[in-house]
Amino acid sequence: MRFIDRAKRALLGTSQKTRVVSLVSLCFAFIAFGAAAVAPGTPPDTRDIAFRMIEEEISLPSLDKQLDRISKEKQFYTREERIRAGDSLNTLFSRLGIADKAAADFIRTDEQANAFLHLKAGQVIHSQTDNRGQLYMLSATLPEGGGHSHSTNLVLTRTDSGFSAFRETERMERTVEMRSGTIQSSLFAATDAAGVPDAITRQFIELFSTDINFNSDLKRGDRFNIVYEMFWQNGKFLKTGNILAAELTNDGTPYQSIWFERSPKKGGYYDFNGKSQKKAFLKYPLEFSRMSSGFSMRVHPVTGKVRQHKGIDFAAPTGTPIRAAADGVINFSGWQNGYGNFIVLKHWGPYSTAYGHMSRIAAGMTKGKKVSQGDIIGYVGSTGMSTGPHLHYEFRVNNVQKNPATVDMPNAHPLSAREMIRFKTTLAGMKHRFALMDAAAASRQLAYNRHRQ
């Protein structure tokens, strides 16, 4: 302050211009003086500052009281588990942390909730419970689903009046995955390394099992490309779908297959030339214990007369399911003389099949009904002129019985000209995907070779 007062008095009596110049000079001098007086890094002078330490005892809250408070507050827990083989409701509840007898009783007695007791191994189930194990929500996606675009969820919730179970349909998200790999030791090791789910690998084996013995034919260096579906819901994986296209190069020979839908939700696998890879007719239309009578001359077990047996008899227990040997339309369904309960299926062209002595015809299998290969059409019995439970099976060409063991069996119904146009479009898209995977594999191999050099 004394420095400033002297500066003011020195400026009195000077001209305005002189006073301005002098004032600016004094300001710079003052700034420089201040900067020198408080240089950076210089600790403040604390000699005149008094310090005093204060100690205060603070009591900690009671841990017991905190735990007691938390235990009295309702907490909710969400868990996820997979159904295991041999699971009971009790073992499942134990893993989910559920201790709720009322919920267990409801599941066992309610018609909708009872479906929780029939979930298959591997299915995912979610639960929400409180800290005492009371169940508030239980849900699972049902295996039958809602088609390729939706899934059906089974949901159980606790309400003020008890429990409620219902089914809800949710939209699924479909993704198409592409995976490729080279076999070094085994197919499963290679598909695991490529990130292919085991369910898809099993489909892959089934596709090519008529051409390749996967136990002995695979060689080191064989390559595969697979394009397949995956289904998701709310960001969670639900299930695998179909293989859309697959290729296996075994010892330099390529084997290829592509999924093609001839009509909505009805498709099959074809080679790249459009030839169906599905067998036209099942070798056997049921699981049987033995072939009790072939296509030959024989003594009829009821009449005792020698005559031609124009079919094949398969001995099997009463109630064994009988399956349609091929796609077709039911041409006859009902009782027919010595055949007993009898069904005739008309297939494409001149082909038809017949099934006799059934204990009963499956529900809905009436004349005009379309069936697919493998559909259950009835059950083994001993109706009509029969001495024991068996299936009498006939393969007919232009309505004349032929021996299915010796007849030149047809290929599956070929694609029409219009279907072939759609098939080629589908094929072009899959070939493009294969080309992308081959290019990526070649690039990886080139990078690997350079790294080794």
Side-chain angles (χ1 to χ4, degrees), residues 298-346:
R298 69 166 188 177
V299 176
H300 193 280
V302 176
T303 65
K305 295 180 180 180
V306 177
R307 66 178 185 178
Q308 178 76 42
H309 182 240
K310 297 182 179 181
I312 295 179
D313 289 348
F314 299 101
T318 298
T320 300
I322 300 168
R323 301 182 182 276
D327 297 349
V329 178
I330 295 178
N331 195 44
F332 179 87
S333 177
W335 186 275
Q336 190 175 102
N337 302 326
Y339 285 113
N341 287 322
F342 188 57
I343 277 183
V344 177
L345 295 181
K346 178 72 175 70

Side-chain angles (χ1 to χ4, degrees), residues 194-214:
V196 178
D198 286 350
I200 295 297
T201 302
R202 287 191 288 270
Q203 281 189 47
F204 184 83
I205 291 172
E206 187 176 344
L207 276 180
F208 298 117
S209 60
T210 56
D211 300 305
I212 300 292
N213 184 329
F214 282 88

Side-chain angles (χ1 to χ4, degrees), residues 183 186-187 212-214 216-220 222 248 250:
I183 297 171
S186 71
L187 177 64
I212 300 292
N213 184 329
F214 282 88
S216 60
D217 292 347
L218 292 183
K219 300 187 181 302
R220 186 183 180 91
D222 286 354
L248 173 65
N250 172 238

Side-chain angles (χ1 to χ4, degrees), residues 8-22:
K8 286 180 179 179
R9 287 195 295 270
L11 291 174
L12 293 176
T14 61
S15 66
Q16 182 179 5
K17 181 177 180 181
T18 301
R19 285 196 299 271
V20 171
V21 174
S22 299

Side-chain angles (χ1 to χ4, degrees), residues 61-77:
S62 169
L63 181 59
D64 290 337
K65 289 182 178 179
Q66 293 294 317
L67 292 175
D68 184 59
R69 180 179 61 80
I70 292 172
S71 67
K72 289 179 179 178
E73 291 178 355
K74 186 163 287 188
Q75 310 285 323
F76 289 96
Y77 303 93

Side-chain angles (χ1 to χ4, degrees), residues 278-282 325-327 347-348 373 409-413:
K278 174 182 175 181
K279 299 297 183 185
F281 289 84
L282 295 178
D327 297 349
H347 309 291
W348 66 95
Q373 185 181 76
M409 298 295 282
N411 292 323
H413 195 185

Side-chain angles (χ1 to χ4, degrees), residues 43 59 81 126 131 155 227 236 278 291 308 328 363 370 388 420:
S59 60
E81 276 288 340
H126 297 89
N131 47 327
V155 182
V227 182
K236 291 185 177 181
K278 174 182 175 181
M291 191 180 297
Q308 178 76 42
K370 289 184 178 181
M420 185 59 77

